Amino acid sequence: MKVYVVNLARDVERMASVKRQLDALGVPFERVDAVDGSAMSADELRRAYSPFRWWCAKGWRASRAEVGCAFSHNAIYKAMLEEGVDVACILEDDVELGGGFKAALDFVARRLVAKRIQVAMLSNHGDVPHDRLGGCIAEEDGFELLKGTYAMCTDGYCLTQAAAQALLEQNMPVMVPCDSWERWAKKGKIDLYHVWPPVVRQQRARFGSMTSAERKQVKDMTFFRKILFKLSRAA
């Protein structure tokens, strides 16, 4: 399985950290230069994402970091299609990998099918309890592949070529954060799974979270805005 690592050129320490881990596990990877949302011009931002659709979907203004992150992941999806990659793993550069990471990749590679719209989360950023997932569809070598509809991270996941195509169709121009897995799963746009136990986690204590730090959620909505927001979330 091809492994991509998303990294901003200035984040040298992050890249060094994930490289050490992957090298130690004997996992080859390709570094992908992330899009720096803070460096995008106003014109680039206008072409990159839809502010109105984002607000309707999420209820807050997109930060430049969120747009840059979504654009970076979209660039990998495009690369998968151009290179004919059947199944890929995408890692962000602030991850901590478990010792079973390589075995988990092999497990997922045997289960995902390139022509099916499948995404498998390798992390458990939201601490999703086992009983919230939709049952085990495969079990091997100490891992389970669990059906799910909930996830809130992009620090480590695998996806098929068909899923890459579907996600590009859903989020170009960008209208929601790239971790909107629950939205796409509930709308039937992707089949979402979780690898259990998780083998990836974000090193927040060490590196923080750039997207969360820049997010400016709309808290003081007018009554009319609240109604629109609730309707958009229910749609």
Side-chain angles (χ1 to χ4, degrees):
M1 182 187 302
K2 184 159 187 176
V3 177
Y4 297 94
V5 176
V6 186
N7 168 253
L8 283 170
R10 66 171 179 265
D11 289 328
V12 177
E13 184 182 357
R14 288 174 176 237
M15 190 65 234
S17 172
V18 70
K19 182 179 186 302
R20 279 194 301 269
Q21 296 176 74
L22 289 168
D23 287 348
L25 293 170
V27 176
F29 67 92
E30 178 181 325
R31 178 190 171 274
V32 176
D33 197 12
V35 176
D36 186 351
S38 65
M40 297 175 74
S41 68
D43 184 58
E44 286 174 323
L45 282 172
R46 279 193 295 271
R47 288 185 280 109
Y49 91 111
S50 170
F52 177 74
R53 292 177 70 192
W54 182 293
W55 183 87
C56 288
K58 303 304 296 182
W60 67 75
R61 296 188 304 274
S63 71
R64 284 175 172 265
E66 286 176 313
V67 175
C69 184
F71 226 59
S72 300
H73 285 258
N74 281 351
I76 297 177
Y77 305 157
K78 290 179 183 178
M80 286 180 64
L81 298 178
E82 292 169 358
E83 298 168 14
V85 176
D86 289 340
V87 182
C89 170
I90 298 177
L91 297 174
E92 295 185 339
D93 59 6
D94 57 350
V95 294
E96 181 178 342
L97 306 177
F101 175 76
K102 187 174 182 179
L105 287 188
D106 293 338
F107 169 67
V108 172
R110 291 191 292 270
R111 300 299 174 183
L112 300 191
V113 180
K115 293 184 178 180
R116 295 182 182 175
I117 306 174
Q118 299 171 312
V119 177
M121 308 306 299
L122 299 174
S123 60
N124 190 26
H125 196 218
D127 295 323
V128 183
H130 197 287
D131 59 8
R132 283 194 61 183
L133 302 172
C136 179
I137 66 167
E139 185 174 2
E140 186 180 350
D141 298 334
F143 291 105
E144 294 178 276
L145 191 62
L146 306 173
K147 186 77 171 109
T149 59
Y150 176 82
M152 54 172 292
C153 53
T154 53
D155 36 1
Y157 62 100
C158 300
L159 77 163
T160 62
Q161 187 180 116
Q165 178 67 56
L167 291 169
L168 285 172
E169 291 172 357
Q170 291 300 307
N171 210 26
M172 281 193 69
V174 173
M175 61 171 285
V176 289
C178 55
D179 62 354
S180 298
W181 306 115
E182 184 176 13
R183 174 188 181 88
W184 293 315
K186 286 186 173 181
K187 288 179 176 292
K189 304 301 182 183
I190 62 170
D191 290 327
L192 183 64
Y193 304 93
H194 293 260
V195 173
W196 199 276
V199 293
V200 175
R201 76 177 185 90
Q202 187 182 33
Q203 298 190 69
R204 280 202 168 195
R206 181 177 180 186
F207 294 121
S209 174
M210 290 182 291
T211 53
S212 296
E214 291 188 20
R215 181 173 292 169
K216 296 178 181 179
Q217 188 161 358
V218 176
K219 295 181 179 179
D220 297 322
M221 295 183 183
T222 64
F223 176 77
F224 180 65
R225 284 185 174 182
K226 287 179 181 178
I227 295 297
L228 284 178
F229 177 63
K230 289 180 180 180
L231 287 173
S232 69
R233 296 291 284 175

